[in-house]
Amino acid sequence: MLETAVPCSAVLEMKGPVQQCLRPRCPVQRCLRRRHRPLGHARRWRNLPVYRPLVDLSTMEERHVILTYRLDRATIQELCAQLEPDLMSPIRQPTRIPPLVQVLSVLHFFASGSFQTTVAISSGMSQPMFSKVLSRVLSALLKHMRSYIIFPELGDLPTVKGDFYALGHIPNIISAIDGTYVALVPPSRSEQVYRSRKSYHSMNVQMVCLADQYISHVNAKFPGSVHDAYILRNSSIPYVMGQLQRQRVWLLVDSGYPNLSWLLTPVRNPRTRAEERYNEAHGRTRRVIERTFGLLKARFRCLHMTGGSLMYSPKKVCQIIVACCMLHNLALRRQVPFLQEDGPDGGVVEPVESEEEEGEEDDMENRNTVIQQYFQ
């Protein structure tokens, strides 16, 4: 039998004996009466199934959309349009899953706190595929983090201070800050590092919020055993407040934080009526950060203990926390109502009260000045 060597492009045009492809490391040697398929191209996608969506957002009631995904229909479509360029980017094995379905499946996972397998089945995909979709949507979301989580700028300070003053009549407050725990399954090599003072493994997440429960800063990279004051010192907040030092503005914190020149803590053992009035006003104002934690974890059950521990690496847990904070701000910006299934609580979000730790008494001059000027 005659054998000749010709390039792949010429093989398809020849007839007759068996030919051998000259392409480097190409093992193809077949009769030219059968069409030559270059390896690694046509055969790779030959048996790839076509995805058929199981969810049609246009046919769902608006209330059911908010209950399932925590965002309304218009906001989801806007979010999908923003993330579509990243979700449509080529990868090694194309999912053929529309960007809208990818966003909906991840929103469902955040809202329900269920297992990946359960969310994947309801979305019409396999669990490994949903894992890839989750990573892609998280990466696409975090690219826009600075557009969703914004600390108040200099021009916004008068409005922000007015909103906080309406809560407890303490002047020059621009934010409230505190930490909360998000449970996770810890790495086996550093299990004790992630054990919090509440005796479960978690990440200690520092958040700063405004009077309307808008999250203006989030730091989710420290394990549960780290103290709140340490997280504050190793965040960008001291630098930001240093830039605003001339404005004489403060952050409200609990007694677990030190008394710095830009922090206002409560009086531990009030001795005068003025200190008692100050503590009452301080508690009414700082309670906004507890309500923010309660609303965030009720809206996205994956962050709440009732949703179970997040079974991901600490890095991915940090990404999930930041993504939920972004979506929380988006819901507030678009005025999406928070809805819950009918139950014994009647849809009321209970605040998550934090346990305060004793901090250091450093500089109390600013606090004493506030008490003497506004609470005598």
Side-chain angles (χ1 to χ4, degrees):
M1 179 178 295
L2 178 63
E3 296 185 0
T4 59
V6 293
C8 290
S9 58
V11 171
L12 298 178
E13 301 178 359
M14 298 181 61
K15 298 180 180 179
V18 176
Q19 306 293 333
Q20 182 179 0
C21 178
L22 285 181
R23 192 173 52 167
R25 294 179 292 182
C26 180
V28 176
Q29 187 176 8
R30 62 185 68 186
C31 178
L32 290 179
R33 295 178 182 177
R34 300 174 59 187
R35 184 173 179 178
H36 173 64
R37 290 189 178 94
L39 293 181
H41 182 68
R43 185 180 298 178
R44 182 184 300 173
W45 317 124
R46 180 172 55 188
N47 298 323
L48 189 67
V50 178
Y51 176 79
R52 294 177 175 82
L54 299 181
V55 179
D56 187 2
L57 194 64
S58 61
T59 60
M60 298 175 61
E61 296 182 359
E62 189 70 15
R63 175 180 174 83
H64 184 56
V65 172
I66 298 177
L67 283 173
T68 306
Y69 305 111
R70 299 301 192 253
L71 299 175
D72 58 14
R73 184 180 291 105
T75 305
I76 292 175
Q77 292 174 347
E78 177 185 326
L79 178 65
C80 183
Q82 185 180 35
L83 304 182
E84 184 174 2
D86 296 309
L87 300 182
M88 291 295 293
S89 59
I91 59 177
R92 181 178 301 177
Q93 194 174 31
T95 61
R96 296 193 179 184
I97 300 178
L100 178 60
V101 178
Q102 298 184 46
V103 173
L104 290 178
S105 61
V106 173
L107 290 178
H108 186 198
F109 170 71
F110 289 165
S112 63
S114 183
F115 292 101
Q116 281 193 359
T117 304
T118 305
V119 177
I121 292 175
S122 62
S123 302
M125 64 183 75
S126 63
Q127 184 275 328
M129 184 57 66
F130 175 77
S131 181
K132 296 180 181 179
V133 168
L134 176 61
S135 299
R136 299 187 68 196
V137 174
L138 284 175
S139 300
L141 268 174
L142 294 178
K143 289 183 179 179
H144 305 276
M145 180 182 63
R146 297 186 182 276
S147 300
Y148 288 86
I149 302 177
I150 307 173
F151 199 83
E153 298 180 354
L154 191 61
D156 302 328
L157 293 186
T159 303
V160 174
K161 290 189 291 186
D163 294 339
F164 271 104
Y165 185 81
L167 296 179
H169 296 86
I170 301 181
N172 298 331
I173 301 298
I174 62 171
S175 291
I177 183 172
D178 202 357
T180 185
Y181 295 117
V182 176
L184 82 163
V185 177
S188 57
R189 295 183 178 180
S190 55
E191 178 182 356
Q192 294 301 322
V193 178
Y194 292 89
R195 184 177 294 276
S196 67
R197 67 174 186 268
K198 295 185 178 181
S199 300
Y200 64 88
H201 301 96
S202 63
M203 300 293 292
N204 192 355
V205 185
Q206 174 188 274
M207 294 188 192
V208 182
C209 77
L210 304 183
D212 58 355
Q213 303 181 29
Y214 181 92
I215 299 175
S216 58
H217 180 271
V218 58
N219 189 339
K221 62 182 180 181
F222 288 94
S225 63
V226 179
H227 194 275
D228 292 345
Y230 179 86
I231 299 177
L232 179 62
R233 288 195 299 266
N234 291 272
S235 66
S236 60
I237 295 298
Y239 172 79
V240 173
M241 295 304 297
Q243 300 297 315
L244 299 175
Q245 191 171 12
R246 294 183 179 180
Q247 306 298 322
R248 292 187 59 82
V249 293
W250 298 293
L251 301 181
L252 278 186
V253 294
D254 59 28
S255 58
Y257 291 87
N259 287 282
L260 303 179
S261 60
W262 42 272
L263 293 180
L264 284 183
T265 60
V267 180
R268 294 181 188 170
N269 301 308
R271 299 178 180 179
T272 64
R273 181 55 184 164
E275 291 180 347
E276 292 177 355
R277 286 195 293 264
Y278 166 78
N279 275 0
E280 293 173 0
H282 187 283
R284 289 195 306 269
T285 308
R286 200 190 68 85
R287 201 171 294 126
V288 66
I289 186 67
E290 306 297 347
R291 292 196 298 267
T292 301
F293 291 155
L295 178 60
L296 175 68
K297 293 185 177 182
R299 176 173 273 146
F300 301 107
R301 306 299 294 186
C302 66
L303 305 181
H304 198 272
M305 285 292 296
T306 57
S309 301
L310 289 171
M311 296 183 290
Y312 300 96
S313 65
K315 180 180 178 180
K316 197 162 190 176
V317 170
C318 174
Q319 294 176 345
I320 293 175
I321 294 171
V322 175
C324 289
C325 292
M326 294 170 58
L327 297 173
H328 167 84
N329 288 347
L330 178 61
L332 293 180
R333 184 187 306 171
R334 296 298 298 267
Q335 298 181 356
V336 180
F338 173 70
L339 302 177
Q340 279 188 323
E341 297 287 353
D342 296 335
D345 58 356
V348 177
V349 180
E350 295 292 338
V352 180
E353 296 292 342
S354 63
E355 297 181 5
E356 299 181 359
E357 296 182 355
E358 292 187 358
E360 301 176 356
E361 293 284 356
D362 296 330
D363 182 11
M364 297 180 291
E365 181 180 357
N366 289 315
R367 188 180 69 185
N368 294 335
T369 301
V370 171
I371 295 174
Q372 293 174 4
Q373 291 182 357
Y374 297 97
F375 296 96
Q376 285 291 354

